[in-house]
Amino acid sequence: MTTEDGAGSKANGGVLKDHDFRFLFYSTSLSQLGQQISGLALPLVAVVTLAASEFEVGMLSAMSTVAFLLIGLPAGVWVDRLRYRHILISSDVIRAAVLLTVPAAWWMGVLTVWQLYAVALVMGVFSVFFDVAYQSYLPRLIGRGQLVEGNAKLETVHSVAQLGGPVAAGQLIAWLTAPVALALDVVAMGLSALFIGRMRYRQSKPVPLPGSRLTADIAEGLRFVLGNPLLRVIAGSTALFNLAFSAYTAMLVFFLPRELGLGAHEVGIVFSVLGVGGLAGALATRRVTLWLGEGRTIWLSMALTAPFALLLPAAQDGWSVWLGAAGLGLVSFGVVIYNVTQVSFRQRVTPDRLLGRMNATMRFLVWGTQPVGALLGGVLGQFYGAEAALWIAGTAACAAFLPVALSPLRKMRQLPDASPASLPS
């Protein structure tokens, strides 16, 4: 059985030797594959089945992430007060049940864009709980010394899902129609919950400190993140990038089929290139951080790759579309290296009792910009067209590295540990 601090993992092998991490890995694999299907199928249901406008597609994208603004901060307190495993299982089951209503309503001929908004919102709420719990669980399962390896392997899963998921999703949508393809995501989430149920580690129920209040606990999480100069600039850069890239991706799913004339299968291939870049990034992270150092890796990974997002709006047809897709692969390469490095640092520097609140606070700050970006993309697309929206959003993404580049991270090789004395002023 894995011990409280992850000491039960792998004396003679990597983190996959650990029973509980292995089942988390299996669960994440299925969940990520399912999310790739629904991430492509939901907006295509809106665009193809319901003939939604640019603004409606932007609104749908916003509804899937607005939960981070609505409940992001209190979710961290609740996660710190509950057992992580129970949260993960419940979130999978509820998301599966809600998503199943889309093919059911389509089959009965009563599906509307308002139902898609509601489904996206509920899915987003329980994704908040799942993501915060999962990132808070990992240090307990494998120990803090294994976090870079563990996060890199989970990012590999995400990248492989991005590689194969959109292609499979595009083909399934072409064969089955988008609403029916969503039923496969329901199956994937159900299996994900079963794998989490096989994990052996049983966390004791956290006991809140006497007299603790929701608002005070939220404030403690905010103070921890905003009071740490490195976490503060990481939050700033990530929030800016997510704002811009959410506007970008909201219009990308509109731009590819409507303006470039790509079919569902071809759209899936374009999105799968993100997986190629992400997989390469996950495999390269350890070598890159050893070469550049952790601090330099964080800002350079974003600064050197974000400009390649501008290749796709410059595309017209034929080979230029695939050159633009390759550019997205390079962006994904940088994003994964950035994420593995900074998330591992966040988990390493945070005390156990604050893990849920730290992760929720970071999610609130950096993912809370996503619904704003998606709406902004929809507005830009409605008034100026999807291509212009991609140019504007892509250009903004290129500037997102500035907060981390102008901070002490610019020259740091080794990031500090949890000791306050090791933190820069």
Side-chain angles (χ1 to χ4, degrees):
M1 181 178 292
T2 305
T3 61
E4 184 76 8
D5 62 358
S9 62
K10 340 91 333 240
N12 298 312
V15 290
L16 283 174
K17 295 290 185 180
D18 180 82
H19 175 276
D20 284 350
F21 180 83
R22 191 163 62 249
F23 276 92
L24 180 64
F25 184 87
Y26 296 154
S27 169
T28 303
S29 300
L30 283 167
S31 181
Q32 290 289 343
L33 181 60
Q35 287 180 39
Q36 292 300 319
I37 295 173
S38 59
L40 185 59
L42 266 182
L44 284 178
V45 168
V47 172
V48 177
T49 305
L50 301 179
S53 68
E54 290 94 335
F55 180 77
E56 287 172 324
V57 172
M59 177 68 77
L60 178 62
S61 182
M63 294 300 286
S64 67
T65 52
V66 73
F68 287 97
L69 280 177
L70 298 178
I71 65 161
L73 292 176
V77 178
W78 294 324
V79 166
D80 277 339
R81 293 179 179 181
L82 299 171
R83 294 181 176 92
Y84 300 142
R85 179 173 166 273
H86 293 176
I87 296 170
L88 295 174
I89 293 173
S90 300
S91 298
D92 267 341
V93 171
I94 293 171
R95 288 186 295 176
V98 169
L99 194 61
L100 188 59
T101 67
V102 176
W106 172 80
W107 182 72
M108 292 185 291
V110 295
L111 182 64
T112 67
V113 72
W114 293 101
Q115 181 180 344
L116 294 185
Y117 292 161
V119 167
L121 177 61
V122 175
M123 293 277 291
V125 166
F126 286 95
S127 291
V128 171
F129 283 100
F130 187 95
D131 290 343
V132 172
Y134 135 73
Q135 287 200 336
S136 304
Y137 207 7
L138 191 60
R140 291 176 180 266
L141 292 180
I142 63 175
R144 295 171 189 268
Q146 302 287 337
L147 285 172
V148 171
E149 182 187 355
N151 281 312
K153 281 191 165 51
L154 293 175
E155 281 289 348
T156 300
V157 168
H158 177 69
S159 300
V160 170
Q162 277 190 314
L163 173 58
V167 176
Q171 191 62 62
L172 288 169
I173 290 166
W175 286 342
L176 304 174
T177 72
V180 177
L182 287 171
L184 295 178
D185 191 5
V186 174
V187 175
M189 286 187 177
L191 291 173
S192 171
L194 289 175
F195 278 125
I196 293 171
R198 293 288 306 278
M199 295 169 69
R200 295 171 182 165
Y201 173 67
R202 296 295 184 268
Q203 174 192 5
S204 58
K205 185 175 181 179
V207 180
L209 294 174
S212 63
R213 302 189 313 276
L214 179 66
T215 54
D217 286 349
I218 290 173
E220 186 178 12
L222 280 167
R223 283 195 303 272
F224 178 79
V225 171
L226 297 179
N228 182 307
L230 299 185
L231 292 180
R232 189 167 60 240
V233 295
I234 287 171
S237 277
T238 311
L240 289 173
F241 183 86
N242 286 347
L243 174 73
F245 210 66
S246 293
Y248 186 97
T249 53
M251 286 299 95
L252 190 60
V253 77
F254 200 95
F255 176 73
L256 294 174
R258 290 275 181 93
E259 299 197 18
L260 292 184
L262 301 187
H265 181 61
E266 293 170 311
V267 171
I269 293 174
V270 170
F271 276 90
S272 74
V273 178
L274 289 167
V276 176
L279 177 59
L283 296 175
T285 298
R286 185 173 181 82
R287 291 183 180 180
V288 171
T289 54
L290 288 173
W291 176 38
L292 296 175
E294 292 176 306
R296 294 189 185 98
T297 294
I298 287 176
W299 74 269
L300 283 171
S301 59
M302 184 181 291
L304 297 179
T305 60
F308 288 99
L310 299 175
L311 290 176
L312 200 53
Q316 298 301 317
D317 52 29
W319 66 269
S320 63
V321 174
W322 305 111
L323 179 62
L328 286 184
L330 288 170
V331 175
S332 181
F333 176 82
V335 165
V336 168
I337 291 176
Y338 174 87
N339 279 338
V340 170
T341 308
Q342 60 95 3
V343 168
S344 299
F345 164 63
R346 283 161 37 189
Q347 292 167 329
R348 193 174 73 222
V349 81
T350 305
D352 281 350
R353 71 180 189 86
L354 284 171
L355 277 168
R357 277 169 284 174
M358 179 278 293
N359 284 316
T361 299
M362 290 295 290
R363 293 288 192 179
F364 171 78
L365 295 172
V366 307
W367 282 30
T369 60
Q370 289 187 341
V372 179
L375 280 176
L376 181 59
V379 171
L380 290 171
Q382 191 77 33
F383 283 97
Y384 303 110
E387 181 181 331
L390 290 176
W391 278 110
I392 296 169
T395 302
C398 293
F401 77 98
L402 289 173
V404 286
L406 298 176
S407 76
L409 286 165
R410 185 177 68 258
K411 297 180 180 179
M412 295 178 69
R413 285 196 58 83
Q414 182 67 35
L415 294 181
D417 56 25
S419 169
S422 67
L423 295 174
S425 60

